[in-house]
Amino acid sequence: ALTIANDAVDIAMLSATGTADATTFLRGDNAWAAAASPGDLTPAFMAILDIDDSVSQGSVERINFNAEMYDTDNAYDNTTNYRFTVPAGEGGAYIFGGQVMISTDSGSYTIDTGEPHLRVNGVDRWAYTMIRPSGAYYRYWTIHFGPIVLDLSATDYVDLLVYTHTTDGGDITYLGPGSFSGGTWYGRTYFWGHKLPGVS
């Protein structure tokens, strides 16, 4: 058997196609290629409610997520319409999720129904999860929703609303940041979403 001496063959002597550099590797078909990317998860956003928001019970009320944690493509409106809009050229599959923490405005009545509504272009597009305990009522609730995958086109917009009902018709509050002995916690009411690469 023939033996090649150590260091006798260097990269320049290989006949592989492509370009050898710090970003490529030699494939089994004798070609230099870049490693596959895990995918670009943008456009992406996360918005929170940074102040308590009192709303009427017995109706579907939009949540005005007014503070952005991140917004890669400036596609979430946190000042006027409080919604995510798919940028031009970025249609495809998107995943959304979040949480809503609600309370009654006083201790004299309790919440008995909560229904998150995820809308696309102003129309309900996802079967919401209704929380309605039997024989038990509460002053504080946390509603989780998602992950929800939607097929969206450019200019489609997505927002979140919630229907609530209380035992005596008293209004409710979507909760923003809260306080504890060490400072302030966030993330009681939030909404996030991003594009899913490789999904069509």
Side-chain angles (χ1 to χ4, degrees):
L2 297 176
T3 301
I4 299 177
N6 291 339
D7 301 324
V9 178
D10 58 20
I11 291 178
M13 297 175 65
L14 296 176
S15 62
T17 59
T19 302
D21 58 31
T23 66
T24 60
F25 69 99
L26 186 60
R27 301 192 317 193
D29 61 357
N30 203 35
W32 295 104
S37 170
D40 183 2
L41 298 178
T42 62
F45 76 96
M46 181 177 182
I48 66 171
L49 185 67
D50 76 348
I51 188 171
D52 290 353
D53 186 11
S54 295
V55 298
S56 299
Q57 72 87 45
S59 61
V60 179
E61 298 280 353
R62 182 183 65 191
I63 301 180
N64 298 332
F65 298 96
N66 60 332
E68 294 179 336
M69 304 302 290
Y70 55 85
D71 183 7
T72 62
D73 290 60
N74 196 30
Y76 180 80
D77 175 3
N78 69 320
T79 60
T80 305
N81 295 308
Y82 306 99
R83 65 196 190 193
F84 170 77
T85 302
V86 178
E90 294 291 353
Y94 283 77
I95 187 168
F96 296 92
Q99 172 181 290
V100 182
M101 188 172 184
I102 57 180
S103 75
T104 63
D105 286 346
S106 77
S108 61
Y109 50 89
T110 55
I111 306 162
D112 64 358
T113 305
E115 302 170 353
H117 292 234
L118 190 68
R119 302 190 310 178
V120 177
N121 302 329
V123 179
D124 282 359
R125 281 285 302 275
W126 191 260
Y128 50 74
T129 299
M130 181 175 70
I131 300 175
R132 189 170 187 175
S134 176
Y137 303 101
Y138 303 93
R139 186 181 172 193
Y140 294 94
W141 274 13
T142 300
I143 302 171
H144 302 273
F145 65 95
I148 298 168
V149 177
L150 297 173
D151 185 19
L152 302 175
S153 301
T155 74
D156 283 344
Y157 63 87
V158 180
D159 58 3
L160 179 71
L161 297 85
V162 174
Y163 169 80
T164 56
H165 186 270
T166 57
T167 56
D168 72 347
D171 292 335
I172 62 97
T173 296
Y174 299 142
L175 296 178
S179 299
F180 62 98
S181 59
T184 301
W185 70 72
Y186 296 88
R188 297 205 290 184
T189 301
Y190 58 88
F191 182 32
W192 59 265
H194 63 79
K195 193 173 184 181
L196 289 174
V199 179
S200 59

